[in-house]
């Protein structure tokens, strides 16, 4: 199958310039504004551009419709903390021991758990290139104040440092609060935090669109992660969904989609939509408890099957990415750093810490027809579970089944048929390659037995199935 399906003329339009009244200097016109919209625990197929049948997300879909839909996109971890560490450093997070979620806020602060300060976050690199930078929403790269966004390249921060927060903006039991630049926001100032986060992004666009230097907004909604909470105005639009949990989850996604609509409005109003790159993805697969849909991917968040590590992925950049592009080669969330940094004018071959991602633009434009990655790797719990994707094949070693499984993802996207026994040499080869990668990684710096690691209780599962068979 063609790896790059272009709609219409193959010629790519040159970036259109802003209206004269809002014209930018040549300096800014060369470098795009960037908005990374990261959502939390979104199912692989819970946006309509990826075929979701019961949740309609026109404003998120617009990123793909007017840009590219990357249909074979992975994140670097099956849950939040490590996934965000990978995204923001452009490197396998196992290189600096950030392999698990942090158990509790107190311990996280005491032990300074999270990203290492020796890492250069995308925000820090963009700051060096004079970007105006803003982080909104969930952080999860460290609860210690030294690791907060303002200390790591962000001019402005509105959100919370941990892995989750109630959606009404009230203080959490562990003392976590919504903060603005590290100072508590009184909870009566919050409405529904998904809406609040959107408002902050819109304000940042309004305040920065006319500046000479471009802006970078990391808009990290904690929706549709638990707790399942949504105001009536969104719930009124999901009455068609029979399952109560999923109807609330869907309402939370609609809040993000409405938010994306307001972001588009702001980009158009300020005349910068022509020179703003917008990237949309989730930090990990959908969770079973929210009745997310990852189908046809197997399993859920916390898992090495594709349901845990695949994400919807769309990218818009007018004049550079042809509208309606569908790109089906394997890419990674680690590529965002290299892609954005390159367009910002950085020479990524000179990064202090070598990157694991690659600049996607030549691939998405059809200029480079090879694979962006020879192989991708995943590891949790210091290697109790791991996986590797190479071409059509995926190697999976899970905790539950202490053996290697092999799938041909292209022919068997639901990972139904373990073909390891038929391909012993390939399995051996892939294990060797995994071990080579593994040897470059650090041991996890903290224990990784978080509840997010939704491991199938294999014994219970087997028992249940045995009983169901009536021993026939
Ligand atoms: Ca997550």
């Amino acid at each position: 199958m063609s790896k790059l399906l272009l709609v219409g003329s193959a010629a790519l339009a040159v970036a259109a310039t802003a209206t004269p009244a809002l014209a930018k200097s040549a300096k800014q016109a060369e470098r795009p504004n960037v908005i990374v919209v990261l959502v939390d625990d979104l199912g692989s197929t819970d946006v309509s551009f990826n075929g979701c049948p019961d949740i309609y997300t026109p404003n998120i879909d617009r990123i793909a419709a007017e840009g590219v839909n990357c249909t074979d996109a992975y994140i670097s971890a099956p849950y939040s903390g490590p996934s965000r560490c990978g995204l923001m450093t452009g490197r396998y997070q196992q290189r600096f021991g950030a392999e698990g979620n942090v158990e509790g806020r107190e311990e996280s602060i005491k032990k300074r758990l999270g990203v290492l300060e020796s890492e250069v976050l995308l925000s820090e690199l963009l700051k060096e290139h004079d970007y105006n930078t803003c982080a909104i929403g969930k952080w999860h790269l460290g609860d210690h104040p030294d690791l907060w966004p303002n200390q790591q390249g962000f001019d402005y921060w509105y959100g919370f440092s941990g892995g989750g927060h109630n959606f009404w903006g009230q203080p959490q039991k562990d003392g976590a609060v919504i903060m603005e630049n590290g100072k508590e926001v009184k909870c009566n100032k919050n409405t529904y935090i998904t809406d609040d986060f959107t408002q902050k992004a819109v304000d940042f666009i309004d305040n920065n669109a006319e500046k000479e230097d471009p802006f970078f907004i990391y808009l990290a909604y904690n929706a549709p992660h638990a707790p399942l909470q949504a105001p009536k105005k969104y719930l009124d639009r999901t009455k068609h969904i029979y399952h109560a949990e999923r109807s609330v989850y869907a309402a939370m996604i609609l809040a993000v989609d409405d938010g994306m609509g307001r972001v588009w409005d702001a980009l158009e109003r300020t005349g910068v939509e022509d020179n703003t790159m917008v990237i949309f993805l989730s930090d990990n697969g959908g969770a079973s408890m929210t009745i997310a849909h990852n189908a046809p991917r197997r399993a859920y968040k916390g898992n090495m099957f594709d349901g845990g590590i695949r994400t919807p992925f769309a990218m818009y950049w007018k004049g550079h990415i042809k509208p309606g592009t569908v790109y089906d080669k394997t890419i990674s969330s680690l590529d965002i750093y290299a892609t954005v940094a390159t367009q910002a004018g950085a020479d990524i071959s000179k990064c202090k810490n070598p990157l694991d991602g690659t600049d996607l633009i030549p691939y998405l434009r059809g200029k480079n027809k090879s694979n962006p990655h020879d192989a991708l790797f995943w590891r949790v719990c210091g290697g109790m579970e791991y996986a590797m994707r190479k071409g059509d094949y995926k190697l999976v070693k899970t905790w539950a089944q202490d053996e290697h499984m092999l799938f041909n993802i292209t022919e068997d996207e639901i990972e139904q048929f373990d073909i390891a026994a038929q391909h012993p040499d390939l399995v051996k080869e892939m294990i060797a390659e995994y071990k080579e990668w593994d040897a470059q990684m650090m041991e996890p710096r903290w224990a990784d037995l978080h509840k997010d690691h939704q491991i199938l209780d294999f014994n219970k599962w087997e028992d249940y199935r045995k009983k169901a068979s009536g021993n026939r």
Side-chain angles (χ1 to χ4, degrees):
M1 176 177 182
S2 164
K3 300 305 179 201
L4 185 68
L5 309 170
L6 291 176
V7 175
S9 159
L12 286 160
V14 174
T17 48
T19 53
L22 294 162
K24 298 292 180 299
S25 68
K27 193 182 166 207
Q28 170 155 359
E30 286 161 18
R31 300 172 299 155
N33 303 303
V34 177
I35 305 177
V36 173
V37 183
L38 181 69
V39 292
D40 201 353
D41 290 13
L42 179 74
S44 287
T45 36
D46 280 338
V47 277
S48 38
F49 81 79
N50 254 8
C52 182
D54 59 349
I55 308 169
Y56 179 51
T57 54
N59 298 300
I60 297 170
D61 295 356
R62 188 176 158 189
I63 306 169
E66 297 184 18
V68 58
N69 175 8
C70 295
T71 59
D72 200 358
Y74 286 96
I75 45 261
S76 64
Y79 37 80
S80 170
S83 170
R84 284 154 203 262
C85 283
L87 173 72
M88 289 301 283
T89 61
R91 285 153 52 76
Y92 283 116
Q93 61 281 352
Q94 295 91 342
R95 292 196 187 279
F96 47 94
E99 196 160 326
N101 274 341
V102 171
E103 255 315 338
R105 187 164 169 266
E106 203 180 314
E107 175 164 302
S108 161
I109 295 171
K110 200 168 77 194
K111 297 183 180 163
R112 295 171 76 98
L113 302 181
V115 74
L116 279 185
E117 282 151 295
S118 54
E119 293 297 315
V120 181
L121 268 53
L122 179 58
S123 43
E124 295 176 289
L125 182 132
L126 293 178
K127 201 64 233 163
E128 280 171 26
H129 286 75
D130 301 324
Y131 270 65
N132 298 301
T133 54
C134 158
I136 295 168
K138 168 168 160 176
W139 184 236
H140 219 191
L141 274 81
D143 287 299
H144 191 286
D146 290 350
L147 299 175
W148 288 353
N150 294 119
Q151 277 62 49
Q152 304 209 69
F154 283 106
D155 299 321
Y156 178 78
W157 172 40
Y158 190 97
F160 55 93
S161 69
H165 205 94
N166 69 79
F167 285 84
W168 314 122
Q170 292 157 347
Q172 299 272 104
K173 276 199 198 102
D174 64 4
V177 292
I178 301 291
M179 290 185 278
E180 183 168 36
N181 293 323
K183 302 246 162 34
E184 179 176 356
V185 175
K186 291 283 168 241
C187 66
N188 61 5
K189 297 250 192 253
N190 291 112
T191 58
Y192 179 56
I193 62 173
T194 300
D195 292 346
D196 298 336
F197 293 161
T198 298
Q199 186 59 49
K200 296 299 169 188
V202 167
D203 291 346
F204 197 82
I205 293 168
D206 282 337
N207 294 334
N208 288 273
E210 295 198 34
K211 287 186 182 165
E212 191 193 344
D213 292 313
F215 60 76
F216 169 53
I217 301 176
Y218 175 57
L219 178 51
Y221 289 109
N222 59 315
H225 188 290
L228 291 171
Q229 295 170 327
K232 201 170 162 296
K233 62 176 173 172
Y234 298 117
L235 291 172
D236 281 349
R237 290 156 58 191
T238 60
K239 288 179 181 167
H240 60 294
I241 298 178
Y242 182 81
H243 200 292
E245 279 91 342
R246 183 166 172 83
S247 77
V248 182
Y249 164 84
M252 295 165 80
I253 294 170
L254 293 185
V256 172
D257 190 67
D258 279 17
M260 202 50 231
R262 289 173 61 201
V263 167
W264 282 120
D265 289 346
L267 294 176
E268 283 167 7
R269 186 176 63 244
T270 56
V272 296
E273 86 276 17
D274 286 353
N275 192 33
T276 299
M277 179 190 279
V278 183
I279 302 171
F280 176 89
L281 77 163
S282 176
D283 68 337
N284 50 252
S288 53
M289 66 170 290
T290 55
I291 321 297
H293 287 175
N294 297 318
R297 321 285 170 222
R298 177 169 173 175
Y300 293 95
K301 165 187 183 178
N303 244 276
M304 286 298 168
F305 298 110
D306 271 14
I309 54 178
R310 279 257 201 156
T311 176
F313 191 108
M315 188 168 170
Y316 161 92
W317 189 19
K318 197 169 179 177
H320 296 263
I321 299 171
K322 181 106 181 143
T325 303
V326 175
Y327 187 76
D328 68 359
K329 290 195 181 211
T330 303
I331 64 157
S332 165
S333 56
L334 301 177
D335 298 329
I336 291 172
Y337 190 116
T339 303
V340 171
T342 303
Q343 314 321 314
D347 178 353
I348 55 169
S349 68
K350 297 207 172 88
C351 282
K352 184 185 129 205
N353 302 314
L355 302 182
D356 289 310
T358 187
D359 172 19
L360 292 173
I361 296 299
Y363 297 94
L364 302 178
R365 292 183 61 131
K367 303 235 169 211
N368 189 336
K369 304 215 183 292
S370 60
N371 292 319
H373 296 274
D374 177 43
L376 288 175
F377 304 90
W378 295 265
R379 186 186 87 176
V380 295
C381 311
M384 285 185 82
E385 295 207 334
Y386 57 83
M388 174 186 174
R389 170 85 191 260
K390 191 178 169 92
D392 294 337
Y393 292 96
K394 189 169 158 212
L395 180 81
V396 179
K397 149 80 176 63
T398 77
W399 213 332
Q401 285 151 302
D402 192 20
E403 61 194 8
H404 291 94
M405 291 176 268
L406 183 73
F407 302 99
N408 183 324
I409 294 290
T410 308
E411 288 174 3
D412 173 25
E413 63 180 352
I414 66 175
E415 296 170 274
Q416 184 180 12
F417 304 110
D418 174 10
I419 52 172
Q422 289 99 293
H423 300 274
D425 291 344
L426 180 59
V427 170
K428 216 185 273 172
E429 212 176 281
M430 287 177 81
I431 293 172
E433 205 171 322
Y434 167 79
K435 293 237 155 101
E436 217 171 279
W437 173 86
D438 181 61
Q440 301 169 38
M441 303 298 131
M442 195 190 266
E443 284 299 303
R445 285 188 290 121
W446 61 88
D448 177 26
L449 298 166
H450 192 270
K451 61 180 176 352
D452 276 350
H453 197 78
Q454 294 174 358
I455 299 160
L456 180 70
D457 186 332
F458 194 66
N459 293 331
K460 251 194 205 163
W461 182 85
E462 283 257 87
D463 280 353
Y464 183 87
R465 286 161 52 87
K466 226 176 255 166
K467 274 185 202 133
S469 77
N471 290 321
R472 282 179 183 88

